[in-house]
Amino acid sequence: MSVSLPGSLEALQRQLAGPEAIDFYFAREFSLAHGEGLEHIEVWFHCLLALSVAQRQGHTCLVLSEIAGQHWFYDSESEVKGYSFPELPLVQKAVELALAQLTTPNPLVLDNGRLYSRRFWNFEQEVARALAERCKPESFTDAQVTQVQKIWPLLFSALPDNSQDWQQVATAGSLGQRFSIINGGPGTGKTYTVTRLMLALQAAHANSLTIQLAAPTGKAAQRLTESVSASLQRIEGEAVEPLVARLPKEATTLHRLLGMSRYGVDCRRDAQNPLNCDVLIVDEVSMVDLALMARTVRALPVHARLVLVGDAEQLPAVESGNVLEALVGSEVHSSRVSAALKNHIARLCPHLPEMAVSPSEAAAILSDRVHTLRTSQRFSGALADVAAAIQAQQAEVAWEMMTKAGPTDWYGSLSLEGVAQLPLTMAVAEIKALAQASFNRLITARDLNTAMQNLNDCRWLTPLRRGQFGSQALNGQIEQALGLSARAGPAGHYAGRPVMVLENHYALGLFNGDVGLVWPDASGRLKAWFEVPQGGYRAFSLARLPKVETVFAMTVHKSQGSEFEQVVLLVPPAASRQAESLCSKELLYTGLTRARKGCLLLSDKTRFSQVIHTRHHRFSGLRDILLQNLAGTQE
Ligand SMILES: Nc1ncnc2c1ncn2[C@@H]1O[C@H](COP(=O)(O)OP(=O)(O)OP(=O)(O)O)[C@@H](O)[C@H]1O
């Protein structure tokens, strides 16, 4: 039976909630390309709409079984009735019929029940191929073992211990792998481990390796530079000195490393002009989107090792894909390894407890390369316990672990230990007192040093940028509540204004996400001050500053990679569609783990539980494609 599109696009737009003009345009272009008479064109049209919406939301593909038999694009509040997809066989048939009629090269791909734009399918194929190639067995000679063992006691404790040391396992494991992942929550010692891995790699390769350190943002690269340097200061011994001298002194952004044009997609570095390195270590990989990962592996020399470092529980990248989540998968909980890896670790680290062997060698190919660090070295107690309960989606347990915030918490300065809860409505009513308690120390500071020291005392975090509970409105309300709006000059600046940079400015060395403070210089002129890694501050004239905004409050997304003594974490009501799509378990986890000492959660129990049960899972075929590739390359 042939069905034509019902009515005009305008009429359709009124019947469906969610898709935007661009989605209708995309769906119309591809469905009308068939001309008249395509069977099930209506189903195909709605599949295309769903694909376009999914891609805008960061999925790399549309999983047909997720839409089949489901009611989509409705909004009961505004009485938009939406569309019911038929059962899977019909959806599948409609898609197959339509794709068979599209011209080659077909811009859309159906692969294993997943509908893709070809661009994303190509990216997934490219990343999977590059990683599978790097999963081929590597040799690690007795001579290398001897060299590494000489320096091991300078890196880690080489004394026998009954409990497993996952940092040592990760280092030893990664040494014999051309591709590995070092995964772990905040403060579990990822940088500590990576620093030691770099030294062990140099020891195993006669100090001949060129190692590159990179991160997806300028701020993350700067943090990595600082933590590697701090970590190196704690490693001493003649045997490691020449190795330390060969390590990179600075991390760079992936964009810089690849020579990406500012707005374009072109890279100076690619397969024809590869990077000059033997080892590439990428930190904060949860923020790396699929396209950037594809460009990274494309520019990596075939022989080069790739070490991905990050926390798979964090929010995914802003752009499409969730590479780290797809690669780590459920391996995060696996402690079993292949017999080959077990023997390799036993050979290098006979002092460690013996590893358990996985029942399936095939399943271990990928899980062997996911090294998860499990113990936070930075925080413990209620913060760590609530974070773990959130990870495990145990809403009731997490809620019971929190204390109830009372008025004494917002007198003086906020100084919570652990996690406290306060209903959002109560926080709104108390906003003035709460803002004062949060930023008291910052706004009453008498000198630049004190103000800078108090800059990261407290930060309000919210999932949203716009709307009543978005960071923009909150900053305005906080400034109002603290009486700062009245002090502001024409550009909104006042002494004590915390500001966040919104775009990279390479010439000034300021990066998107950097946070500084507006403060007068010796002559009384307002400047923007930013901390420098070597210690001290740099002042910038306000006129030269790239775009900035006030940052008493910021989005959870922007806070990734930063830490504050106290965090006030807002969970907005489900009133808006935007709030719904952004509030997830990953968001709560990321927001909460930004706190070093205390977190005040502004939410009620029902909403908290709702959010904890929402996963920010993204559709992707990367893992399956990689597993297929692995099955091929190991034969
Ligand atoms: N095995 C260890 N023994 C002693 N101190 C450690 C150990 N591992 C990590 N640390 C210390 O714990 C702190 C956190 O470690 P590190 O910065 O490496 O963690 P991370 O996982 O990279 O953290 P984040 O992702 O939150 O930046 C550092 O001060 C580090 O020196």
Tab-separated table of all heavy atoms in Angstrom, residues 286 366 433:
chain	number	residue	atom	x	y	z
A	286	SER	N	35.968	11.584	28.216
A	286	SER	CA	34.496	11.641	28.188
A	286	SER	C	34.039	12.873	27.410
A	286	SER	O	32.929	12.895	26.884
A	286	SER	CB	33.923	11.654	29.602
A	286	SER	OG	34.439	12.749	30.319
A	366	LEU	N	38.759	-6.829	24.628
A	366	LEU	CA	38.490	-5.420	24.913
A	366	LEU	C	38.604	-5.137	26.407
A	366	LEU	O	39.207	-4.144	26.822
A	366	LEU	CB	37.097	-5.042	24.380
A	366	LEU	CG	36.726	-3.562	24.452
A	366	LEU	CD1	37.791	-2.670	23.823
A	366	LEU	CD2	35.390	-3.308	23.767
A	433	ALA	N	20.045	34.764	51.589
A	433	ALA	CA	20.881	34.199	52.653
A	433	ALA	C	21.810	33.119	52.099
A	433	ALA	O	22.982	33.036	52.469
A	433	ALA	CB	19.982	33.619	53.736
